[in-house]
């Protein structure tokens, strides 16, 4: 007989809520759309019209959707707080940029 028993360690994964996943994906997609609009505007040297405005507007709307999901994920007790904060800040940035551009260049 063995003197020592082998201890079996169990590692559990941190629970990730689906609201948080949707929020992070939509925040990243909205940020990439806004960043793409800025790059497109720089390449065209400011001679842009509807495509850039549509990209910034859709990035802001996707940010609004992500903000709603991040608020729902914040209310849930499961999941990591760091990712929840990241998604909330990213979606707030996605909402701030179109509003700032609208107010500044109106």
């Amino acid at each position: 007989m063995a003197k020592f028993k082998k201890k079996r360690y169990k590692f559990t994964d941190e629970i990730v809520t689906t609201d948080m996943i949707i929020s992070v994906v939509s925040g990243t997609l909205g940020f990439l759309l806004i960043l793409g609009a800025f790059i497109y505007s720089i390449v065209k040297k400011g001679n842009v019209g509807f495509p850039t405005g549509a990209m910034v507007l859709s990035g802001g709307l996707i940010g609004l959707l992500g903000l709603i999901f991040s608020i729902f994920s914040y209310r849930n007790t499961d999941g990591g707080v760091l990712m929840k904060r990241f998604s909330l800040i990213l979606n707030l940035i996605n909402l701030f940029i179109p509003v700032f551009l609208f107010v500044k260049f109106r």
Side-chain angles (χ1 to χ4, degrees):
M1 264 192 130
K3 286 185 175 182
F4 301 104
K5 276 187 171 180
K6 289 186 177 180
K7 292 184 181 179
R8 295 184 185 227
Y9 294 103
K10 294 182 179 178
F11 297 100
T12 58
D13 293 331
E14 188 175 291
I15 297 172
V16 178
T17 60
T18 56
D19 295 337
M20 187 171 60
I21 293 171
I22 293 170
S23 174
V24 169
V25 169
S26 64
T28 306
L29 182 64
F31 188 74
L32 289 176
L33 279 171
I34 293 172
L35 187 66
F38 281 127
I39 292 172
Y40 183 71
S41 176
I42 291 170
V43 168
K44 292 288 189 174
K45 297 180 182 172
N47 294 327
V48 292
F50 180 73
T52 305
M55 287 173 72
V56 171
L57 184 64
S58 62
L61 290 176
I62 290 173
L64 179 66
L65 176 72
L67 183 67
I68 292 169
F69 276 108
S70 66
I71 290 171
F72 284 143
S73 71
Y74 228 91
R75 291 172 53 194
N76 197 351
T77 57
D78 295 334
V81 178
L82 182 65
M83 225 32 199
K84 291 178 185 180
R85 287 182 187 162
F86 171 72
S87 67
L88 184 69
I89 291 170
L90 183 64
N91 287 308
L92 283 175
I93 289 171
N94 286 344
L95 280 178
F96 175 74
I97 291 173
V99 170
F100 174 75
L101 291 174
F102 179 72
V103 169
K104 178 154 175 116
F105 297 112
R106 186 171 180 198

